[in-house]
């Protein structure tokens, strides 16, 4: 087979044709390759950068902030790291970089970096937030805006004792300005509870703003939360962040444990000072915001895993709320079904379908259940909801409900077994909750919640 050598000119043509910024330096930090896209990003020319040391061209960078220089020092790659810097003309830039060392065996030859420009995405995001702010400032109340709530606590449909106690706690917490942490599996109704708390609070006439922390890149999240000052990066303008826009109301931060730890520290400082500093700004802006956060697992477990700062956890977890999964409150399934079909009284549900519903584990919880009902209504076309219409995952669900030896429902049996195991663990640990939690291999907060739930249900059944 004939060998084809790739000439230097061909290689340069290929690299220049890639729609990404590429910057390569030798082991001393001298630029050996810098493509046209990188030059456009940085507001420079190729000639201004090529053959010069990185810090001479970008004087705002240091050994600690330059991803290229960090890779030269560590010989380890860096993936998707945010970098904010100035070029030699004083223009502020923002990129997300993937940087890898260039090695010949173990010998370091240099480093190469591929950068994405987040300035343009930031600009589009800011324009959207500016539009939302104008709607809010105009005082439009006749139509539903992104700052109004659609749910009250009464919209959380349940007859489960633990959930009823949870709603009582939510009403109690609503009367204060203390921060609240809501946790539970996906689809359990965390935002319904968050909006319900805002509705029952003294801040009902203020804005309710929700932000999913895991839905956008971390490089955008900071400017969205805290706002920007003109010139903080390419295309940046003076813009309020969500903290300022939510002042006088409630800011709901969903998937809190997906927020980068560095940004969590800035959030903690803002909460402690009651003030925010915009990206690129130098002055603090006072805000009056009630914070509600949510996550899909125990906050204490997130602290143990390192996805949630311990100091922020102690600051935010004054009023914890846990929402049990649907599989632990199977009586709510019939209640939710009746509520969903109340306007469709002509649709009949055969008993076997309800049994299947109650035997399925519902990993998506109430959201999955309600979507399944919509699917079945569409398939039934005014006919009875029968087992053969169910999705395969539900048809496979099994539960022995006909055994004459049964002494109670599966939920009751599991609850009794759990209570017995918890009592045994507490007995073995001499009543020490932390040691009992370690014996059970669960977070201490989870055990404390289960113990509180056991006590509340005992009081509830004794009334």
């Amino acid at each position: 087979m004939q060998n084809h050598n790739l000439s230097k000119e061909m290689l340069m043509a290929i690299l220049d044709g890639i729609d990404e910024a590429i910057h390569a330096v030798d082991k001393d930090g001298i630029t050996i390759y810098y493509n046209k896209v990188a030059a456009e990003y940085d507001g420079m020319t190729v000639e201004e950068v090529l053959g010069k040391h990185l810090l001479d061209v970008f004087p705002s960078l240091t050994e600690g902030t330059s991803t290229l220089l960090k890779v030269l020092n560590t010989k380890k790659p860096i993936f998707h790291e945010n970098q904010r810097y100035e070029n030699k003309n004083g223009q502020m830039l923002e990129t997300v970089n993937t940087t890898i060392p260039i090695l010949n065996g173990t010998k370091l030859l240099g480093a190469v970096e591929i950068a994405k420009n987040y300035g343009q995405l930031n600009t589009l995001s800011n324009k959207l937030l500016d539009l939302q702010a104008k709607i809010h400032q105009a005082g439009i109340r006749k139509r539903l805006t992104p700052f109004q709530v659609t749910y009250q606590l009464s919209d959380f449909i349940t007859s489960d004792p633990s959930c009823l106690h949870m709603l009582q706690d939510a009403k109690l917490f609503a009367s204060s300005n203390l921060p609240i942490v809501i946790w539970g599996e996906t689809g359990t109704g965390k935002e319904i509870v968050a909006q319900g708390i805002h509705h029952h609070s003294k801040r009902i006439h203020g804005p309710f703003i929700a932000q999913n922390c895991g839905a956008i890149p971390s490089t955008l999240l900071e400017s969205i939360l805290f706002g920007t000052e003109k010139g903080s990066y390419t295309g940046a303008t003076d813009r309020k962040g969500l903290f300022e826009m939510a002042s006088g109301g409630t800011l709901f931060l969903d998937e809190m444990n997906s927020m980068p730890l560095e940004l969590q520290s800035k959030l903690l400082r803002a909460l402690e000072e009651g003030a925010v500093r915009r990206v690129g700004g130098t002055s603090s802006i006072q805000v009056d915001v009630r914070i509600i956060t949510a996550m899909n697992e125990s906050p204490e477990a997130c602290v143990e895993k390192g996805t949630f700062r311990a100091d922020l956890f102690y600051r935010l977890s004054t009023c914890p709320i846990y929402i049990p999964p649907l599989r632990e409150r199977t009586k709510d399934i019939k209640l939710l079904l009746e509520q969903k079909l109340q306007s469709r009284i002509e649709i009949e549900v055969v008993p076997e379908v309800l049994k299947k519903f109650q035997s399925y584990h519902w990993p998506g919880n109430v959201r999955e259940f309600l979507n399944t009902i919509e699917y079945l209504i569409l398939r039934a076309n005014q006919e009875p909801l029968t087992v053969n219409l169910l999705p395969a995952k539900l048809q496979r669900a099994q539960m022995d409900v006909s055994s004459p030896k049964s002494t109670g429902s599966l939920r009751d049996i599991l609850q009794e077994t759990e209570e017995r195991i918890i009592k045994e663990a507490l007995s073995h640990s001499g009543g020490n909750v932390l040691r009992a939690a370690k014996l059970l291999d669960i977070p201490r907060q989870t055990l404390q919640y289960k113990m509180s739930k056991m006590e509340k249900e005992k009081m509830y059944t004794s009334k």
Side-chain angles (χ1 to χ4, degrees), residues 439-451:
L439 287 173
L440 296 169
D441 194 25
I442 60 175
R444 176 175 56 83
Q445 188 184 29
T446 301
L447 177 56
Q448 288 177 323
Y449 164 76
K450 290 182 178 293
M451 292 168 61

Side-chain angles (χ1 to χ4, degrees), residues 198-211:
H198 174 80
H199 181 85
H200 284 83
S201 74
K202 296 178 181 179
R203 296 173 176 265
I204 182 173
H205 299 297
F208 177 90
I209 298 181
Q211 176 62 55

Side-chain angles (χ1 to χ4, degrees), residues 229-275:
E229 290 285 348
K230 186 176 181 179
S232 58
Y233 56 84
T234 304
T237 58
D238 290 333
R239 181 189 56 76
K240 291 182 178 182
L242 296 186
F243 265 89
E244 291 179 67
M245 295 164 68
S247 192
T250 303
L251 179 58
F252 175 54
L253 299 176
D254 199 4
E255 294 191 27
M256 181 68 204
N257 49 317
S258 66
M259 179 183 290
L261 295 178
E262 179 185 358
L263 189 51
Q264 289 185 27
S265 67
K266 296 180 181 180
L267 174 62
L268 176 62
R269 185 170 63 249
L271 295 176
E272 290 177 340
E273 297 176 356

Side-chain angles (χ1 to χ4, degrees), residues 84 92-94 119 122-123 126 223 228-229 231-236 279:
R84 188 179 289 123
M92 185 62 69
L93 309 166
E94 186 177 11
N122 259 318
T123 301
N126 293 338
S223 61
T228 58
E229 290 285 348
S232 58
Y233 56 84
T234 304
V279 175

Side-chain angles (χ1 to χ4, degrees), residues 67-102:
T67 47
L68 277 167
L69 295 182
K70 282 194 285 187
V71 167
L72 289 180
N73 290 331
T74 64
K75 297 184 181 180
K76 296 180 180 179
I78 294 174
F79 299 99
H80 310 302
E81 181 166 312
N82 183 44
Q83 185 171 258
R84 188 179 289 123
Y85 57 99
E86 290 182 7
N87 62 15
K88 71 175 186 177
N89 300 320
Q91 183 181 14
M92 185 62 69
L93 309 166
E94 186 177 11
T95 57
V96 172
N97 305 335
T98 291
T99 315
I100 58 175
I102 303 172

